[in-house]
Amino acid sequence: GPKVLQIPSHQIIDMGQMVTLNCDPVSNHLYFYWYKQILGQQMEFLVNFYNGKVMEKSKLFKDQFSVERPDGSYFTLKIQPTALEDSAVYFCASRGQGANTGQLYFGEGSKLTVL
Amino acid sequence: AQSVTQPDARVTVSEGASLQLRCKYSYFGTPYLFWYVQYPRQGLQLLLKYYPGDPVVQGVNGFEAEFSKSNSSFHLRKASVHWSDWAVYFCAVSISGGNYKPTFGKGTSLVVHP
């Protein structure tokens, strides 16, 4: 089935550094999402993105967070600077239109460890 | 805003037994409902989805779920559990006017005993 790829699968960084998480969404999908999952807890919505703009963001999407998809390449989540509480697994998702509207396809996650 | 409650944090069953994982949602209108499964160290995989129509939906690997508007529920069932079903199961709800972003429950961890 359709695949969403995330790079890196795991990143360890020091608090205060910048990190960029990359997502290669399903081809031809136009809507993109980031979710955050702290170990053993539920998935929390961060942000969704369409046509070069943030459509909606949650209170978890702090000012240090930003998203972009330059020139139709990777959809990225940047955190600058990072904080200890940013340690989590970040899942990217994308969706298309048509018969499967509403169904999101998730990547395998990028585990971020902030020391 | 919509919400999802999965009342059972952990369910333990014997291999071959039947299974029901409970999910209650809160939303005034008709939602889209999903069950996802997360195997260890993996992402979410869609098991099944409900769009307005037949209340019983069939998914992969013998899973099915039934939508009940009167009970605001979308319970997941399987007739005979296999050890490979050991995973965490998430129920999610989304609405057409909400960017389709799913709101997830806290998940139910399924443990399968031989």
PDB file of all heavy atoms in Angstrom, chain B residues 5-8 19-25 33-35 47-48 50 55-58 63-69 71-78 91 108:
ATOM      1  N   THR B   5     -12.705   7.863  23.825  1.00  0.00           N
ATOM      2  CA  THR B   5     -12.365   7.197  25.071  1.00  0.00           C
ATOM      3  C   THR B   5     -12.202   5.706  24.815  1.00  0.00           C
ATOM      4  O   THR B   5     -13.098   5.059  24.280  1.00  0.00           O
ATOM      5  CB  THR B   5     -13.453   7.403  26.135  1.00  0.00           C
ATOM      6  OG1 THR B   5     -13.632   8.794  26.376  1.00  0.00           O
ATOM      7  CG2 THR B   5     -13.071   6.720  27.438  1.00  0.00           C
ATOM      8  N   GLN B   6     -11.059   5.195  25.187  1.00  0.00           N
ATOM      9  CA  GLN B   6     -10.835   3.753  25.191  1.00  0.00           C
ATOM     10  C   GLN B   6     -10.714   3.362  26.662  1.00  0.00           C
ATOM     11  O   GLN B   6      -9.687   3.605  27.291  1.00  0.00           O
ATOM     12  CB  GLN B   6      -9.575   3.398  24.398  1.00  0.00           C
ATOM     13  CG  GLN B   6      -9.715   3.680  22.904  1.00  0.00           C
ATOM     14  CD  GLN B   6      -8.468   3.310  22.130  1.00  0.00           C
ATOM     15  OE1 GLN B   6      -7.752   4.176  21.619  1.00  0.00           O
ATOM     16  NE2 GLN B   6      -8.203   2.030  22.005  1.00  0.00           N
ATOM     17  N   PRO B   7     -11.741   2.771  27.222  1.00  0.00           N
ATOM     18  CA  PRO B   7     -11.787   2.585  28.679  1.00  0.00           C
ATOM     19  C   PRO B   7     -10.817   1.539  29.210  1.00  0.00           C
ATOM     20  O   PRO B   7     -10.505   1.545  30.398  1.00  0.00           O
ATOM     21  CB  PRO B   7     -13.232   2.166  28.935  1.00  0.00           C
ATOM     22  CG  PRO B   7     -13.706   1.604  27.641  1.00  0.00           C
ATOM     23  CD  PRO B   7     -12.984   2.355  26.569  1.00  0.00           C
ATOM     24  N   ASP B   8     -10.340   0.677  28.347  1.00  0.00           N
ATOM     25  CA  ASP B   8      -9.450  -0.396  28.796  1.00  0.00           C
ATOM     26  C   ASP B   8      -8.028  -0.109  28.355  1.00  0.00           C
ATOM     27  O   ASP B   8      -7.725  -0.138  27.169  1.00  0.00           O
ATOM     28  CB  ASP B   8      -9.910  -1.748  28.220  1.00  0.00           C
ATOM     29  CG  ASP B   8     -11.354  -2.047  28.557  1.00  0.00           C
ATOM     30  OD1 ASP B   8     -11.689  -1.959  29.759  1.00  0.00           O
ATOM     31  OD2 ASP B   8     -12.134  -2.320  27.635  1.00  0.00           O
ATOM     32  N   LEU B  19     -12.352 -11.517  20.885  1.00  0.00           N
ATOM     33  CA  LEU B  19     -11.830 -10.246  21.394  1.00  0.00           C
ATOM     34  C   LEU B  19     -12.809  -9.128  21.128  1.00  0.00           C
ATOM     35  O   LEU B  19     -13.451  -9.076  20.067  1.00  0.00           O
ATOM     36  CB  LEU B  19     -10.503  -9.921  20.685  1.00  0.00           C
ATOM     37  CG  LEU B  19      -9.935  -8.515  20.881  1.00  0.00           C
ATOM     38  CD1 LEU B  19      -9.393  -8.369  22.289  1.00  0.00           C
ATOM     39  CD2 LEU B  19      -8.861  -8.221  19.854  1.00  0.00           C
ATOM     40  N   GLN B  20     -12.953  -8.241  22.096  1.00  0.00           N
ATOM     41  CA  GLN B  20     -13.636  -6.971  21.861  1.00  0.00           C
ATOM     42  C   GLN B  20     -12.842  -5.865  22.540  1.00  0.00           C
ATOM     43  O   GLN B  20     -12.572  -5.949  23.741  1.00  0.00           O
ATOM     44  CB  GLN B  20     -15.071  -6.968  22.385  1.00  0.00           C
ATOM     45  CG  GLN B  20     -15.726  -5.596  22.197  1.00  0.00           C
ATOM     46  CD  GLN B  20     -17.209  -5.547  22.498  1.00  0.00           C
ATOM     47  OE1 GLN B  20     -18.044  -5.914  21.672  1.00  0.00           O
ATOM     48  NE2 GLN B  20     -17.549  -5.084  23.697  1.00  0.00           N
ATOM     49  N   LEU B  21     -12.478  -4.874  21.781  1.00  0.00           N
ATOM     50  CA  LEU B  21     -11.840  -3.675  22.322  1.00  0.00           C
ATOM     51  C   LEU B  21     -12.834  -2.527  22.199  1.00  0.00           C
ATOM     52  O   LEU B  21     -13.383  -2.290  21.129  1.00  0.00           O
ATOM     53  CB  LEU B  21     -10.549  -3.347  21.564  1.00  0.00           C
ATOM     54  CG  LEU B  21      -9.487  -4.434  21.551  1.00  0.00           C
ATOM     55  CD1 LEU B  21      -8.247  -3.953  20.802  1.00  0.00           C
ATOM     56  CD2 LEU B  21      -9.119  -4.863  22.955  1.00  0.00           C
ATOM     57  N   ARG B  22     -13.019  -1.826  23.306  1.00  0.00           N
ATOM     58  CA  ARG B  22     -14.079  -0.825  23.346  1.00  0.00           C
ATOM     59  C   ARG B  22     -13.585   0.567  22.965  1.00  0.00           C
ATOM     60  O   ARG B  22     -12.458   0.955  23.288  1.00  0.00           O
ATOM     61  CB  ARG B  22     -14.695  -0.796  24.747  1.00  0.00           C
ATOM     62  CG  ARG B  22     -15.396  -2.094  25.131  1.00  0.00           C
ATOM     63  CD  ARG B  22     -16.082  -1.972  26.473  1.00  0.00           C
ATOM     64  NE  ARG B  22     -15.129  -1.841  27.576  1.00  0.00           N
ATOM     65  CZ  ARG B  22     -15.462  -1.432  28.791  1.00  0.00           C
ATOM     66  NH1 ARG B  22     -16.710  -1.077  29.054  1.00  0.00           N
ATOM     67  NH2 ARG B  22     -14.549  -1.379  29.752  1.00  0.00           N
ATOM     68  N   CYS B  23     -14.490   1.275  22.318  1.00  0.00           N
ATOM     69  CA  CYS B  23     -14.195   2.654  21.921  1.00  0.00           C
ATOM     70  C   CYS B  23     -15.496   3.453  21.986  1.00  0.00           C
ATOM     71  O   CYS B  23     -16.511   3.053  21.403  1.00  0.00           O
ATOM     72  CB  CYS B  23     -13.622   2.706  20.510  1.00  0.00           C
ATOM     73  SG  CYS B  23     -13.454   4.375  19.831  1.00  0.00           S
ATOM     74  N   LYS B  24     -15.452   4.575  22.694  1.00  0.00           N
ATOM     75  CA  LYS B  24     -16.581   5.483  22.739  1.00  0.00           C
ATOM     76  C   LYS B  24     -16.121   6.829  22.204  1.00  0.00           C
ATOM     77  O   LYS B  24     -15.027   7.285  22.529  1.00  0.00           O
ATOM     78  CB  LYS B  24     -17.076   5.660  24.178  1.00  0.00           C
ATOM     79  CG  LYS B  24     -17.535   4.368  24.832  1.00  0.00           C
ATOM     80  CD  LYS B  24     -18.975   4.067  24.565  1.00  0.00           C
ATOM     81  CE  LYS B  24     -19.900   4.919  25.413  1.00  0.00           C
ATOM     82  NZ  LYS B  24     -21.333   4.528  25.225  1.00  0.00           N
ATOM     83  N   TYR B  25     -16.937   7.439  21.402  1.00  0.00           N
ATOM     84  CA  TYR B  25     -16.563   8.730  20.858  1.00  0.00           C
ATOM     85  C   TYR B  25     -17.571   9.783  21.298  1.00  0.00           C
ATOM     86  O   TYR B  25     -18.697   9.470  21.692  1.00  0.00           O
ATOM     87  CB  TYR B  25     -16.479   8.676  19.325  1.00  0.00           C
ATOM     88  CG  TYR B  25     -17.826   8.538  18.656  1.00  0.00           C
ATOM     89  CD1 TYR B  25     -18.551   9.668  18.281  1.00  0.00           C
ATOM     90  CD2 TYR B  25     -18.379   7.289  18.416  1.00  0.00           C
ATOM     91  CE1 TYR B  25     -19.795   9.544  17.703  1.00  0.00           C
ATOM     92  CE2 TYR B  25     -19.626   7.152  17.823  1.00  0.00           C
ATOM     93  CZ  TYR B  25     -20.325   8.291  17.475  1.00  0.00           C
ATOM     94  OH  TYR B  25     -21.556   8.179  16.901  1.00  0.00           O
ATOM     95  N   LEU B  33     -14.722   7.162  11.640  1.00  0.00           N
ATOM     96  CA  LEU B  33     -14.088   6.430  12.733  1.00  0.00           C
ATOM     97  C   LEU B  33     -13.069   5.446  12.196  1.00  0.00           C
ATOM     98  O   LEU B  33     -13.250   4.871  11.123  1.00  0.00           O
ATOM     99  CB  LEU B  33     -15.152   5.689  13.548  1.00  0.00           C
ATOM    100  CG  LEU B  33     -16.114   6.602  14.313  1.00  0.00           C
ATOM    101  CD1 LEU B  33     -17.406   5.884  14.627  1.00  0.00           C
ATOM    102  CD2 LEU B  33     -15.447   7.110  15.602  1.00  0.00           C
ATOM    103  N   PHE B  34     -12.021   5.268  12.961  1.00  0.00           N
ATOM    104  CA  PHE B  34     -10.904   4.432  12.513  1.00  0.00           C
ATOM    105  C   PHE B  34     -10.389   3.603  13.680  1.00  0.00           C
ATOM    106  O   PHE B  34     -10.444   4.011  14.834  1.00  0.00           O
ATOM    107  CB  PHE B  34      -9.743   5.309  12.005  1.00  0.00           C
ATOM    108  CG  PHE B  34     -10.135   6.305  10.944  1.00  0.00           C
ATOM    109  CD1 PHE B  34     -10.636   7.548  11.290  1.00  0.00           C
ATOM    110  CD2 PHE B  34      -9.986   5.997   9.608  1.00  0.00           C
ATOM    111  CE1 PHE B  34     -10.997   8.474  10.325  1.00  0.00           C
ATOM    112  CE2 PHE B  34     -10.337   6.915   8.629  1.00  0.00           C
ATOM    113  CZ  PHE B  34     -10.844   8.149   8.983  1.00  0.00           C
ATOM    114  N   TRP B  35      -9.872   2.449  13.329  1.00  0.00           N
ATOM    115  CA  TRP B  35      -9.044   1.679  14.252  1.00  0.00           C
ATOM    116  C   TRP B  35      -7.672   1.500  13.594  1.00  0.00           C
ATOM    117  O   TRP B  35      -7.565   1.062  12.445  1.00  0.00           O
ATOM    118  CB  TRP B  35      -9.646   0.304  14.543  1.00  0.00           C
ATOM    119  CG  TRP B  35     -10.659   0.301  15.640  1.00  0.00           C
ATOM    120  CD1 TRP B  35     -12.028   0.309  15.526  1.00  0.00           C
ATOM    121  CD2 TRP B  35     -10.401   0.268  17.042  1.00  0.00           C
ATOM    122  NE1 TRP B  35     -12.615   0.289  16.751  1.00  0.00           N
ATOM    123  CE2 TRP B  35     -11.648   0.261  17.710  1.00  0.00           C
ATOM    124  CE3 TRP B  35      -9.229   0.223  17.817  1.00  0.00           C
ATOM    125  CZ2 TRP B  35     -11.754   0.221  19.101  1.00  0.00           C
ATOM    126  CZ3 TRP B  35      -9.343   0.182  19.196  1.00  0.00           C
ATOM    127  CH2 TRP B  35     -10.591   0.185  19.823  1.00  0.00           C
ATOM    128  N   LEU B  47      -6.440  -0.526  10.440  1.00  0.00           N
ATOM    129  CA  LEU B  47      -7.145  -1.811  10.461  1.00  0.00           C
ATOM    130  C   LEU B  47      -8.445  -1.724   9.683  1.00  0.00           C
ATOM    131  O   LEU B  47      -8.773  -2.604   8.893  1.00  0.00           O
ATOM    132  CB  LEU B  47      -7.472  -2.213  11.902  1.00  0.00           C
ATOM    133  CG  LEU B  47      -6.420  -2.941  12.711  1.00  0.00           C
ATOM    134  CD1 LEU B  47      -6.977  -3.222  14.098  1.00  0.00           C
ATOM    135  CD2 LEU B  47      -5.969  -4.211  12.040  1.00  0.00           C
ATOM    136  N   LEU B  48      -9.193  -0.679   9.977  1.00  0.00           N
ATOM    137  CA  LEU B  48     -10.470  -0.487   9.301  1.00  0.00           C
ATOM    138  C   LEU B  48     -10.959   0.938   9.536  1.00  0.00           C
ATOM    139  O   LEU B  48     -10.448   1.646  10.395  1.00  0.00           O
ATOM    140  CB  LEU B  48     -11.513  -1.505   9.777  1.00  0.00           C
ATOM    141  CG  LEU B  48     -11.680  -1.731  11.269  1.00  0.00           C
ATOM    142  CD1 LEU B  48     -12.458  -0.631  11.947  1.00  0.00           C
ATOM    143  CD2 LEU B  48     -12.357  -3.074  11.527  1.00  0.00           C
ATOM    144  N   TYR B  50     -14.643   3.559   9.218  1.00  0.00           N
ATOM    145  CA  TYR B  50     -16.082   3.723   9.034  1.00  0.00           C
ATOM    146  C   TYR B  50     -16.355   5.087   8.440  1.00  0.00           C
ATOM    147  O   TYR B  50     -15.978   6.117   9.002  1.00  0.00           O
ATOM    148  CB  TYR B  50     -16.818   3.588  10.374  1.00  0.00           C
ATOM    149  CG  TYR B  50     -18.252   4.041  10.294  1.00  0.00           C
ATOM    150  CD1 TYR B  50     -19.230   3.210   9.754  1.00  0.00           C
ATOM    151  CD2 TYR B  50     -18.618   5.311  10.712  1.00  0.00           C
ATOM    152  CE1 TYR B  50     -20.544   3.634   9.645  1.00  0.00           C
ATOM    153  CE2 TYR B  50     -19.931   5.742  10.604  1.00  0.00           C
ATOM    154  CZ  TYR B  50     -20.890   4.905  10.067  1.00  0.00           C
ATOM    155  OH  TYR B  50     -22.178   5.340   9.946  1.00  0.00           O
ATOM    156  N   PRO B  55     -23.165  -0.027   9.202  1.00  0.00           N
ATOM    157  CA  PRO B  55     -22.544   0.160  10.525  1.00  0.00           C
ATOM    158  C   PRO B  55     -21.478  -0.884  10.857  1.00  0.00           C
ATOM    159  O   PRO B  55     -20.650  -0.636  11.733  1.00  0.00           O
ATOM    160  CB  PRO B  55     -23.719   0.050  11.491  1.00  0.00           C
ATOM    161  CG  PRO B  55     -24.756  -0.722  10.759  1.00  0.00           C
ATOM    162  CD  PRO B  55     -24.592  -0.371   9.318  1.00  0.00           C
ATOM    163  N   VAL B  56     -21.505  -2.015  10.200  1.00  0.00           N
ATOM    164  CA  VAL B  56     -20.478  -3.024  10.456  1.00  0.00           C
ATOM    165  C   VAL B  56     -19.454  -2.956   9.332  1.00  0.00           C
ATOM    166  O   VAL B  56     -19.795  -3.079   8.158  1.00  0.00           O
ATOM    167  CB  VAL B  56     -21.079  -4.442  10.534  1.00  0.00           C
ATOM    168  CG1 VAL B  56     -19.980  -5.471  10.756  1.00  0.00           C
ATOM    169  CG2 VAL B  56     -22.109  -4.513  11.654  1.00  0.00           C
ATOM    170  N   VAL B  57     -18.225  -2.752   9.710  1.00  0.00           N
ATOM    171  CA  VAL B  57     -17.167  -2.650   8.707  1.00  0.00           C
ATOM    172  C   VAL B  57     -16.148  -3.746   8.935  1.00  0.00           C
ATOM    173  O   VAL B  57     -15.822  -4.099  10.070  1.00  0.00           O
ATOM    174  CB  VAL B  57     -16.480  -1.260   8.746  1.00  0.00           C
ATOM    175  CG1 VAL B  57     -17.437  -0.196   8.264  1.00  0.00           C
ATOM    176  CG2 VAL B  57     -15.973  -0.923  10.124  1.00  0.00           C
ATOM    177  N   GLN B  58     -15.675  -4.281   7.848  1.00  0.00           N
ATOM    178  CA  GLN B  58     -14.684  -5.340   7.889  1.00  0.00           C
ATOM    179  C   GLN B  58     -13.305  -4.741   7.655  1.00  0.00           C
ATOM    180  O   GLN B  58     -13.143  -3.817   6.851  1.00  0.00           O
ATOM    181  CB  GLN B  58     -14.974  -6.382   6.803  1.00  0.00           C
ATOM    182  CG  GLN B  58     -16.366  -6.978   6.862  1.00  0.00           C
ATOM    183  CD  GLN B  58     -16.590  -7.806   8.120  1.00  0.00           C
ATOM    184  OE1 GLN B  58     -15.666  -8.471   8.590  1.00  0.00           O
ATOM    185  NE2 GLN B  58     -17.798  -7.762   8.659  1.00  0.00           N
ATOM    186  N   PHE B  63     -10.447  -8.628  11.504  1.00  0.00           N
ATOM    187  CA  PHE B  63     -11.040  -7.645  12.411  1.00  0.00           C
ATOM    188  C   PHE B  63     -12.295  -7.024  11.797  1.00  0.00           C
ATOM    189  O   PHE B  63     -12.393  -6.870  10.581  1.00  0.00           O
ATOM    190  CB  PHE B  63     -10.041  -6.527  12.724  1.00  0.00           C
ATOM    191  CG  PHE B  63      -8.959  -6.934  13.677  1.00  0.00           C
ATOM    192  CD1 PHE B  63      -7.732  -7.385  13.203  1.00  0.00           C
ATOM    193  CD2 PHE B  63      -9.154  -6.866  15.049  1.00  0.00           C
ATOM    194  CE1 PHE B  63      -6.725  -7.770  14.076  1.00  0.00           C
ATOM    195  CE2 PHE B  63      -8.162  -7.244  15.932  1.00  0.00           C
ATOM    196  CZ  PHE B  63      -6.944  -7.702  15.440  1.00  0.00           C
ATOM    197  N   GLU B  64     -13.227  -6.692  12.663  1.00  0.00           N
ATOM    198  CA  GLU B  64     -14.400  -5.943  12.247  1.00  0.00           C
ATOM    199  C   GLU B  64     -14.794  -5.006  13.381  1.00  0.00           C
ATOM    200  O   GLU B  64     -14.366  -5.166  14.523  1.00  0.00           O
ATOM    201  CB  GLU B  64     -15.576  -6.858  11.890  1.00  0.00           C
ATOM    202  CG  GLU B  64     -16.190  -7.594  13.061  1.00  0.00           C
ATOM    203  CD  GLU B  64     -17.470  -8.326  12.671  1.00  0.00           C
ATOM    204  OE1 GLU B  64     -17.613  -8.729  11.496  1.00  0.00           O
ATOM    205  OE2 GLU B  64     -18.344  -8.482  13.554  1.00  0.00           O
ATOM    206  N   ALA B  65     -15.574  -4.006  13.043  1.00  0.00           N
ATOM    207  CA  ALA B  65     -16.043  -3.064  14.058  1.00  0.00           C
ATOM    208  C   ALA B  65     -17.470  -2.664  13.721  1.00  0.00           C
ATOM    209  O   ALA B  65     -17.875  -2.690  12.558  1.00  0.00           O
ATOM    210  CB  ALA B  65     -15.137  -1.834  14.107  1.00  0.00           C
ATOM    211  N   GLU B  66     -18.183  -2.294  14.761  1.00  0.00           N
ATOM    212  CA  GLU B  66     -19.575  -1.906  14.570  1.00  0.00           C
ATOM    213  C   GLU B  66     -19.817  -0.514  15.117  1.00  0.00           C
ATOM    214  O   GLU B  66     -19.538  -0.229  16.296  1.00  0.00           O
ATOM    215  CB  GLU B  66     -20.526  -2.895  15.241  1.00  0.00           C
ATOM    216  CG  GLU B  66     -22.001  -2.571  14.995  1.00  0.00           C
ATOM    217  CD  GLU B  66     -22.937  -3.676  15.408  1.00  0.00           C
ATOM    218  OE1 GLU B  66     -22.458  -4.698  15.937  1.00  0.00           O
ATOM    219  OE2 GLU B  66     -24.160  -3.531  15.174  1.00  0.00           O
ATOM    220  N   PHE B  67     -20.348   0.332  14.269  1.00  0.00           N
ATOM    221  CA  PHE B  67     -20.692   1.692  14.645  1.00  0.00           C
ATOM    222  C   PHE B  67     -22.093   1.699  15.252  1.00  0.00           C
ATOM    223  O   PHE B  67     -23.028   1.122  14.695  1.00  0.00           O
ATOM    224  CB  PHE B  67     -20.644   2.603  13.417  1.00  0.00           C
ATOM    225  CG  PHE B  67     -21.262   3.959  13.619  1.00  0.00           C
ATOM    226  CD1 PHE B  67     -20.634   4.900  14.423  1.00  0.00           C
ATOM    227  CD2 PHE B  67     -22.456   4.308  13.011  1.00  0.00           C
ATOM    228  CE1 PHE B  67     -21.186   6.157  14.602  1.00  0.00           C
ATOM    229  CE2 PHE B  67     -23.016   5.564  13.185  1.00  0.00           C
ATOM    230  CZ  PHE B  67     -22.382   6.488  13.986  1.00  0.00           C
ATOM    231  N   SER B  68     -22.232   2.357  16.394  1.00  0.00           N
ATOM    232  CA  SER B  68     -23.536   2.532  17.010  1.00  0.00           C
ATOM    233  C   SER B  68     -23.717   4.002  17.352  1.00  0.00           C
ATOM    234  O   SER B  68     -23.032   4.523  18.249  1.00  0.00           O
ATOM    235  CB  SER B  68     -23.667   1.685  18.277  1.00  0.00           C
ATOM    236  OG  SER B  68     -24.838   2.020  18.994  1.00  0.00           O
ATOM    237  N   LYS B  69     -24.636   4.643  16.638  1.00  0.00           N
ATOM    238  CA  LYS B  69     -24.879   6.060  16.916  1.00  0.00           C
ATOM    239  C   LYS B  69     -25.552   6.240  18.262  1.00  0.00           C
ATOM    240  O   LYS B  69     -25.248   7.162  19.020  1.00  0.00           O
ATOM    241  CB  LYS B  69     -25.738   6.674  15.801  1.00  0.00           C
ATOM    242  CG  LYS B  69     -25.859   8.190  15.873  1.00  0.00           C
ATOM    243  CD  LYS B  69     -26.573   8.737  14.662  1.00  0.00           C
ATOM    244  CE  LYS B  69     -26.759  10.246  14.752  1.00  0.00           C
ATOM    245  NZ  LYS B  69     -25.465  10.955  14.710  1.00  0.00           N
ATOM    246  N   ASN B  71     -25.247   4.479  20.915  1.00  0.00           N
ATOM    247  CA  ASN B  71     -24.302   4.274  22.018  1.00  0.00           C
ATOM    248  C   ASN B  71     -23.024   5.077  21.868  1.00  0.00           C
ATOM    249  O   ASN B  71     -22.146   5.000  22.733  1.00  0.00           O
ATOM    250  CB  ASN B  71     -23.934   2.794  22.132  1.00  0.00           C
ATOM    251  CG  ASN B  71     -25.103   1.931  22.549  1.00  0.00           C
ATOM    252  OD1 ASN B  71     -25.931   2.355  23.361  1.00  0.00           O
ATOM    253  ND2 ASN B  71     -25.188   0.726  22.000  1.00  0.00           N
ATOM    254  N   SER B  72     -22.904   5.800  20.759  1.00  0.00           N
ATOM    255  CA  SER B  72     -21.667   6.552  20.481  1.00  0.00           C
ATOM    256  C   SER B  72     -20.454   5.639  20.617  1.00  0.00           C
ATOM    257  O   SER B  72     -19.464   5.971  21.275  1.00  0.00           O
ATOM    258  CB  SER B  72     -21.528   7.748  21.431  1.00  0.00           C
ATOM    259  OG  SER B  72     -22.585   8.655  21.247  1.00  0.00           O
ATOM    260  N   SER B  73     -20.555   4.487  19.993  1.00  0.00           N
ATOM    261  CA  SER B  73     -19.474   3.515  20.152  1.00  0.00           C
ATOM    262  C   SER B  73     -18.999   2.984  18.805  1.00  0.00           C
ATOM    263  O   SER B  73     -19.706   3.075  17.800  1.00  0.00           O
ATOM    264  CB  SER B  73     -19.927   2.348  21.029  1.00  0.00           C
ATOM    265  OG  SER B  73     -20.927   1.586  20.373  1.00  0.00           O
ATOM    266  N   PHE B  74     -17.817   2.446  18.842  1.00  0.00           N
ATOM    267  CA  PHE B  74     -17.206   1.842  17.638  1.00  0.00           C
ATOM    268  C   PHE B  74     -16.256   0.755  18.138  1.00  0.00           C
ATOM    269  O   PHE B  74     -15.046   0.880  18.074  1.00  0.00           O
ATOM    270  CB  PHE B  74     -16.478   2.910  16.822  1.00  0.00           C
ATOM    271  CG  PHE B  74     -16.007   2.436  15.467  1.00  0.00           C
ATOM    272  CD1 PHE B  74     -16.892   1.917  14.528  1.00  0.00           C
ATOM    273  CD2 PHE B  74     -14.665   2.547  15.105  1.00  0.00           C
ATOM    274  CE1 PHE B  74     -16.466   1.492  13.274  1.00  0.00           C
ATOM    275  CE2 PHE B  74     -14.220   2.125  13.843  1.00  0.00           C
ATOM    276  CZ  PHE B  74     -15.124   1.603  12.938  1.00  0.00           C
ATOM    277  N   HIS B  75     -16.850  -0.327  18.637  1.00  0.00           N
ATOM    278  CA  HIS B  75     -16.057  -1.401  19.237  1.00  0.00           C
ATOM    279  C   HIS B  75     -15.423  -2.289  18.161  1.00  0.00           C
ATOM    280  O   HIS B  75     -16.054  -2.600  17.152  1.00  0.00           O
ATOM    281  CB  HIS B  75     -16.930  -2.253  20.158  1.00  0.00           C
ATOM    282  CG  HIS B  75     -17.550  -1.477  21.283  1.00  0.00           C
ATOM    283  ND1 HIS B  75     -16.963  -0.374  21.860  1.00  0.00           N
ATOM    284  CD2 HIS B  75     -18.738  -1.670  21.921  1.00  0.00           C
ATOM    285  CE1 HIS B  75     -17.735   0.096  22.813  1.00  0.00           C
ATOM    286  NE2 HIS B  75     -18.824  -0.652  22.871  1.00  0.00           N
ATOM    287  N   LEU B  76     -14.236  -2.724  18.455  1.00  0.00           N
ATOM    288  CA  LEU B  76     -13.474  -3.600  17.548  1.00  0.00           C
ATOM    289  C   LEU B  76     -13.630  -5.045  18.008  1.00  0.00           C
ATOM    290  O   LEU B  76     -13.554  -5.326  19.215  1.00  0.00           O
ATOM    291  CB  LEU B  76     -11.998  -3.195  17.564  1.00  0.00           C
ATOM    292  CG  LEU B  76     -11.051  -3.982  16.663  1.00  0.00           C
ATOM    293  CD1 LEU B  76     -11.312  -3.647  15.198  1.00  0.00           C
ATOM    294  CD2 LEU B  76      -9.599  -3.664  17.028  1.00  0.00           C
ATOM    295  N   ARG B  77     -13.802  -5.950  17.060  1.00  0.00           N
ATOM    296  CA  ARG B  77     -13.998  -7.366  17.415  1.00  0.00           C
ATOM    297  C   ARG B  77     -13.146  -8.256  16.523  1.00  0.00           C
ATOM    298  O   ARG B  77     -12.802  -7.894  15.385  1.00  0.00           O
ATOM    299  CB  ARG B  77     -15.473  -7.765  17.232  1.00  0.00           C
ATOM    300  CG  ARG B  77     -16.461  -6.967  18.048  1.00  0.00           C
ATOM    301  CD  ARG B  77     -17.833  -7.583  17.966  1.00  0.00           C
ATOM    302  NE  ARG B  77     -18.398  -7.536  16.622  1.00  0.00           N
ATOM    303  CZ  ARG B  77     -19.470  -6.840  16.284  1.00  0.00           C
ATOM    304  NH1 ARG B  77     -20.082  -6.098  17.198  1.00  0.00           N
ATOM    305  NH2 ARG B  77     -19.949  -6.880  15.062  1.00  0.00           N
ATOM    306  N   LYS B  78     -12.838  -9.407  17.090  1.00  0.00           N
ATOM    307  CA  LYS B  78     -12.199 -10.455  16.295  1.00  0.00           C
ATOM    308  C   LYS B  78     -12.634 -11.786  16.886  1.00  0.00           C
ATOM    309  O   LYS B  78     -12.642 -11.960  18.110  1.00  0.00           O
ATOM    310  CB  LYS B  78     -10.677 -10.337  16.305  1.00  0.00           C
ATOM    311  CG  LYS B  78      -9.999 -11.325  15.357  1.00  0.00           C
ATOM    312  CD  LYS B  78      -8.521 -11.053  15.189  1.00  0.00           C
ATOM    313  CE  LYS B  78      -7.941 -12.017  14.152  1.00  0.00           C
ATOM    314  NZ  LYS B  78      -6.496 -11.786  13.907  1.00  0.00           N
ATOM    315  N   CYS B  91      -8.196   3.774  18.686  1.00  0.00           N
ATOM    316  CA  CYS B  91      -9.420   4.211  18.040  1.00  0.00           C
ATOM    317  C   CYS B  91      -9.273   5.705  17.757  1.00  0.00           C
ATOM    318  O   CYS B  91      -8.653   6.435  18.541  1.00  0.00           O
ATOM    319  CB  CYS B  91     -10.601   3.950  18.967  1.00  0.00           C
ATOM    320  SG  CYS B  91     -12.212   4.395  18.314  1.00  0.00           S
ATOM    321  N   THR B 108      -5.351   0.824  23.579  1.00  0.00           N
ATOM    322  CA  THR B 108      -5.528  -0.374  24.391  1.00  0.00           C
ATOM    323  C   THR B 108      -4.427  -1.349  24.030  1.00  0.00           C
ATOM    324  O   THR B 108      -4.264  -1.703  22.855  1.00  0.00           O
ATOM    325  CB  THR B 108      -6.897  -1.033  24.137  1.00  0.00           C
ATOM    326  OG1 THR B 108      -7.934  -0.130  24.515  1.00  0.00           O
ATOM    327  CG2 THR B 108      -7.023  -2.324  24.939  1.00  0.00           C
TER     328      THR B 108
END
